[in-house]
Amino acid sequence: MRNWLRKNPQVRTIRVAASDVNGQARGKRVPARFADKVLDGGTRFPLSVLNLDIWGEDIDDSPLVFEAGDADGVLWPTGRGFVPMPWLEAPSALLPLWMFRETGEPYEGDPRHALNAVVERYKARGLTPVVAMELEFFLIDDSTRNLQVPASPRSGKRRKAGEILSIRLIDQFDRFFTDLYDACEAMDIPADTVISEAGLGQFEMNLMHCDDALRAADDAWLFKMLVKGLARRHGFAASFMAKPYPDYSGSGMHTHFSVLDERGNNVFDDGGPRGTDMLHHAIAGCLNGMYDSTLLFAPHWNSYDRLVPEAHAPTGIAWAYENRTAAIRVPSGSPAARRIEHRVAGGDVNPYLTLAAILGAALTGIEDGKAPPDPVKGNAYALDLPQIPGDWATAISAFETSKIMPRIFHEELIRNLVLTKKQERHYMDELTDAERVEIYLDTV
């Protein structure tokens, strides 16, 4: 890490930051010449900083604040090292951190530690998840109260329609996407294909598969930060909010995963299209945990505007082979690449908690050895299926009272997230739709 700074003397300031429960980067700005202090001794934030609401406010009734004296945790580098911040004008670098207690034990309310705990349970069984994420986002002109697609930097025109897989639309924003790919390379984010999606000014970027789930979540967290910051440098906004436009599809974060054994074999591959029993056990776990973990896939008020029938987001709890209307899709293709695609999460999620929920639920299915119901066929929206929670209050209650979530998450994180979402819901209830959109546009 020190070598990186020595090789990049133009970097005069660094940011040291960790993810809070909402996926917001919380941290400090430090002159680069004092970086050794952080590397050698860590840095300190209150434990409560990882448990702020979407406005960045303390949780009123959190035991982390006054009841506990708002005690500090100690934050250490995650191992990612320094990452350039190409969206800023001055050369700067980010040092990702995660939080520990004074005793050196991981702080259970840290979202990255929540994912790490799940990964360690896979390792104990000799298993390694392999993960890839697809992140959808909107480019938006928010210079007026009426959100609209930005004018094309090439033609000056605004295309007021969704254009699925349009090369023309991508090329209209060629400079932005060229800068985005260059920035991803500088930040070592494995950006692959970009396509235009069904929404107004909506795009999707695929991140390459990775056999380190923590690294995959890091990449998604950093990518969201990068896209939003870089768009502002280009004169418009980028947003991962679930549903900025009521008449167009919302943004998702689809997660693909397979699992390797100690010899590097895909345990979902049976040499044919069906997949192994372990694949089916993992699917059963994902389905069984889906209702209770919806709060992690749809964590905000606006999230539930996306989860409506026939809007390219799942509403029924079901799985299928090669069927994008189902919540769980098993893609076709080479048996060696047999995997699960989990399609419920919106683009507005915390990648660490979402991936922990998905992998954790799959692991409970593997542990329990239960078979899933039969795969559905045809239009899943038209079938009589158990439904994903359709509103925020129901999802909060399901997560809080779940018997499954304590098998995946520590009680501290469950408590903190529930308190956070109850507070956010209370204050969001007092706002107009336009005020809610204004809050979510830049934050999530």
Side-chain angles (χ1 to χ4, degrees), residues 104-436:
E105 294 296 312
Y107 171 52
E108 302 88 347
D110 183 319
R112 195 171 190 273
H113 280 304
L115 175 56
N116 187 57
V118 172
V119 171
E120 289 298 318
R121 288 174 56 202
Y122 273 90
K123 287 182 180 178
R125 298 178 69 94
L127 300 173
T128 302
V130 177
V131 180
M133 294 182 180
E134 303 168 348
L135 293 103
E136 296 173 342
F137 59 92
F138 287 86
L139 299 183
I140 298 173
D141 178 356
D142 63 342
S143 60
T144 67
R145 293 188 67 85
N146 295 318
L147 303 183
Q148 56 186 333
V149 65
S152 162
R154 295 174 65 88
S155 69
K157 298 179 181 179
R158 301 179 197 271
R159 292 287 300 173
K160 297 185 179 180
E163 296 190 68
I164 298 173
L165 289 171
S166 170
I167 294 297
R168 177 179 59 185
L169 182 60
I170 293 172
D171 289 347
Q172 290 295 322
F173 294 93
D174 175 64
R175 184 173 299 175
F176 169 75
F177 283 109
T178 297
D179 287 352
L180 179 58
Y181 273 111
D182 288 345
C184 284
E185 186 170 348
M187 297 175 70
D188 199 19
I189 297 172
D192 186 27
T193 307
V194 65
I195 63 170
S196 62
E197 271 286 357
L200 190 65
Q202 186 187 30
F203 300 90
E204 177 188 84
M205 181 75 85
N206 293 345
L207 303 185
M208 292 292 289
H209 67 274
C210 177
D211 62 1
D212 181 343
L214 285 168
R215 173 74 184 228
D218 291 340
D219 288 336
W221 183 62
L222 293 168
F223 180 78
K224 292 177 70 173
M225 209 181 306
L226 164 62
V227 171
K228 290 185 284 187
L230 192 62
R232 288 299 183 191
R233 288 203 69 174
H234 281 259
F236 42 79
S239 184
F240 292 83
M241 68 181 294
K243 189 90 164 179
Y245 301 109
D247 297 330
Y248 289 88
S249 298
S251 286
M253 189 187 79
H254 302 155
T255 298
H256 294 248
F257 74 97
S258 57
V259 178
L260 305 181
D261 64 19
E262 291 176 308
R263 297 183 300 276
N265 298 315
N266 181 359
V267 300
F268 293 165
D269 172 22
D270 69 343
R274 179 186 179 276
T276 62
D277 287 345
M278 192 172 288
L279 169 71
H280 289 246
H281 298 329
I283 290 170
C286 286
L287 295 176
N288 191 41
M290 190 172 290
Y291 188 92
D292 290 1
S293 55
T294 296
L295 182 61
L296 302 176
F297 308 142
H300 306 291
W301 183 294
N302 176 261
S303 306
Y304 296 85
D305 293 339
R306 169 180 167 267
L307 297 176
V308 294
E310 300 183 352
H312 297 285
T315 54
I317 299 175
W319 75 284
Y321 291 102
E322 198 53 79
N323 185 334
R324 287 182 169 85
T325 67
I328 300 294
R329 168 179 170 252
V330 178
S332 58
S334 168
R338 190 67 61 229
R339 65 192 185 276
I340 291 170
E341 180 190 13
H342 199 292
R343 297 179 55 80
V344 182
D348 55 349
V349 299
N350 180 326
Y352 298 105
L353 295 182
T354 294
L355 191 50
I358 292 171
L359 295 180
L363 186 58
T364 65
I366 292 170
E367 290 171 344
D368 295 346
K370 294 183 178 179
D374 291 337
V376 301
K377 296 181 179 179
N379 182 2
Y381 297 118
L383 302 178
D384 183 16
L385 298 170
Q387 295 293 294
I388 294 167
D391 65 87
W392 207 13
T394 301
I396 294 170
S397 177
F399 184 78
E400 181 179 19
T401 60
S402 174
K403 299 294 193 295
I404 302 169
M405 292 302 100
R407 293 182 62 181
I408 302 172
F409 297 103
H410 192 278
E411 62 182 358
E412 172 113 356
L413 190 139
I414 293 173
R415 179 200 69 193
N416 292 353
L417 187 65
V418 168
L419 290 173
T420 300
K421 293 303 160 184
K422 285 183 175 180
Q423 176 163 305
E424 290 177 357
R425 182 170 173 266
H426 171 77
Y427 289 110
M428 285 289 177
D429 199 35
E430 301 173 353
L431 304 181
T432 65
D433 284 342
E435 289 170 328
R436 295 180 194 123

Side-chain angles (χ1 to χ4, degrees), residues 15-29 45 49-50 52-54 56 75 85 87 94-97 111 221-222 224-226 228 350-352 442-444:
R15 313 294 186 272
V16 294
S19 169
D20 73 5
V21 292
N22 275 315
Q24 303 298 298
R26 302 292 176 188
K28 305 174 182 180
R29 175 174 172 150
F45 305 167
V49 164
L50 299 195
L52 302 175
D53 68 18
I54 197 65
L75 292 101
M85 304 173 74
W87 61 92
L94 173 69
L95 182 65
L97 308 174
W221 183 62
L222 293 168
K224 292 177 70 173
M225 209 181 306
L226 164 62
K228 290 185 284 187
N350 180 326
Y352 298 105
D442 285 313
T443 53
V444 302

